[in-house]
């Protein structure tokens, strides 16, 4: 093992600068949800050119086109604003909520460049309390899975209360098998010239854990810079069986729950069969 990877072993947990953003107990360890704290423009730009995103936004637009012009759309966990910007260009009034400073800053900059009036707010979606109702609420790319079962249930109940009587909820979720697979993955390390966590050369070490009883997977990311500085990031995901998603949505005030065909809401090749989308209506 080379010197760069050896520097990882030279740091105890107490000495590591850990990015604690959202803390969850798991196996007596603190596990956190990733918050991108660097403005990694190259990362955002690469995502912006994913072909599958076009297919998804066309479907979202088709759904919203059933609503009145200027319908209110809420994106919970909006990231750098890909969906909100594309929907705003089509005349919808968009609100995006995310707790990543870099994502919100990037989204605001892109909206300004495009001349779009999008309400981006730097908040934890769990504590967000809007002052208006929405016609369409979306949570994509497994956003729901990063929350504990109690938090997910609370958030979905809030969503039901925020929707207009004819409103719809779209949630893109991870399959149970995918969450478990990630928790059971082998540890790894890679060298990067730049990446999600740092816009500079670094070594990224990754380790995983799966809690069978709690059905939770966790991942720790150790970012080692050339000067030896080590920063720890982390994520966690709650696994749900297919029928558990349906029960959860029903208990939180939704009905007419249907699984969206992948032909109209596709995933990238990387996540094919690992993510799927559910559409639900407000149970008036």
């Amino acid at each position: 093992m080379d010197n760069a990877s050896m520097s990882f072993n030279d740091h105890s947990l107490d000495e590591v600068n850990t990015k604690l953003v959202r803390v969850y107990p798991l196996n007596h360890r603190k596990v956190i949800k990733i918050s991108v704290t660097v403005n990694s423009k190259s990362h955002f730009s690469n995502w912006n050119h994913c072909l599958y995103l076009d297919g998804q936004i066309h479907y979202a637009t088709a759904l919203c086109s059933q609503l009145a012009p200027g319908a209110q759309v809420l994106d919970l966990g909006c990231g750098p604003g890909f969906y909100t910007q594309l929907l705003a260009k089509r005349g919808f009034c968009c609100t995006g909520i995310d707790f990543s400073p870099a994502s919100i800053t990037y989204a605001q900059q892109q909206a300004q460049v495009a001349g779009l009036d999008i309400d981006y707010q730097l908040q934890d979606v769990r504590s967000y309390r809007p002052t208006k109702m929405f016609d369409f609420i979306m949570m994509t790319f497994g956003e729901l899975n990063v929350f504990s079962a109690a938090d997910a249930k609370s958030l979905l109940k809030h969503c039901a209360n925020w929707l207009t009587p004819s409103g719809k909820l779209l949630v893109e979720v991870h399959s149970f098998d995918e969450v478990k697979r990630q928790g059971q993955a082998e540890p790894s390390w890679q060298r990067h010239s730049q990446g999600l966590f740092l816009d500079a050369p670094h070594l990224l070490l990754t380790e995983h854990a799966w809690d069978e009883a709690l059905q939770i997977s966790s991942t720790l990311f150790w970012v080692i810079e050339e000067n030896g500085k080590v920063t720890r990031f982390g994520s966690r995901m709650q696994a749900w069986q297919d029928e558990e998603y349906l029960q959860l949505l029903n208990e939180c005030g939704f009905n007419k729950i249907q699984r969206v065909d992948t032909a109209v809401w596709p995933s990238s090749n990387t996540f094919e069969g690992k993510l799927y989308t559910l559409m639900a209506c407000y149970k008036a």
Side-chain angles (χ1 to χ4, degrees), residues 48 50-67 82-90 92 136 138 140 170 260-267 277 279:
N48 204 18
C50 287
L51 293 178
Y52 82 96
L53 186 63
D54 290 336
Q56 291 177 332
I57 201 64
H58 290 160
Y59 180 56
T61 303
L63 290 168
C64 288
S65 66
Q66 302 172 25
L67 307 173
F82 298 144
Y83 292 105
T84 44
Q85 180 163 332
L86 289 168
L87 288 170
K89 287 180 178 179
R90 288 160 173 78
F92 301 106
F136 186 58
M138 58 196 303
T140 59
L170 181 147
V260 179
D261 195 305
T262 56
V264 290
W265 187 275
S267 295
T277 305
M279 178 66 68

Side-chain angles (χ1 to χ4, degrees), residues 72-227:
Q72 296 287 339
V73 177
L74 173 63
D75 188 351
L76 294 172
C78 65
F82 298 144
Y83 292 105
T84 44
Q85 180 163 332
L86 289 168
L87 288 170
K89 287 180 178 179
R90 288 160 173 78
F92 301 106
C93 299
C94 296
T95 300
I97 310 299
D98 204 285
F99 78 114
S100 164
S103 292
I104 289 295
T105 298
Y106 182 89
Q108 291 172 333
Q109 291 171 344
Q110 294 303 301
Q112 184 177 11
V113 170
L116 298 171
D117 183 15
I118 302 174
D119 181 15
Y120 287 118
Q121 298 184 34
L122 179 63
Q123 285 196 45
D124 186 326
V125 298
R126 296 174 301 175
S127 58
Y128 172 64
R129 297 295 180 269
T131 57
K132 59 185 177 182
M133 304 292 283
F134 295 94
D135 303 295
F136 186 58
I137 298 177
M138 58 196 303
M139 284 186 281
T140 59
F141 204 72
E143 177 73 10
L144 189 66
N145 296 92
V146 306
F147 302 110
S148 66
D151 283 343
K153 190 170 185 178
S154 175
L155 179 58
L156 288 173
K157 285 183 176 179
H158 283 306
C159 287
N161 292 331
W162 300 338
L163 280 171
T164 59
S166 60
K168 293 182 174 64
L169 171 75
L170 181 147
V171 286
E172 187 180 29
V173 297
H174 286 286
S175 68
F176 183 94
D177 289 342
E178 172 57 15
V179 176
K180 185 174 182 178
R181 182 197 67 79
Q182 291 189 28
Q184 294 179 328
E186 293 295 323
S188 63
W189 67 272
Q190 302 90 27
R191 292 183 180 274
H192 296 281
S193 57
Q194 61 179 359
L196 176 63
F197 300 106
L198 191 66
D199 277 339
H202 62 278
L203 183 69
L204 178 65
L205 291 90
T206 308
E207 61 177 10
H208 310 270
W210 166 251
D211 188 309
E212 184 68 36
L214 297 177
Q215 298 185 353
I216 292 174
S217 72
S218 61
T219 305
L220 289 177
F221 305 91
W222 302 80
V223 180
I224 305 169
E225 300 178 42
E226 289 185 324
N227 62 8

Side-chain angles (χ1 to χ4, degrees), residues 21-22 24 31-35 99 143 146 234-236:
V21 178
R22 188 176 290 164
Y24 303 89
V31 181
I32 54 177
K33 182 179 181 285
I34 300 171
S35 175
F99 78 114
E143 177 73 10
V146 306
S235 67
R236 53 92 71 198

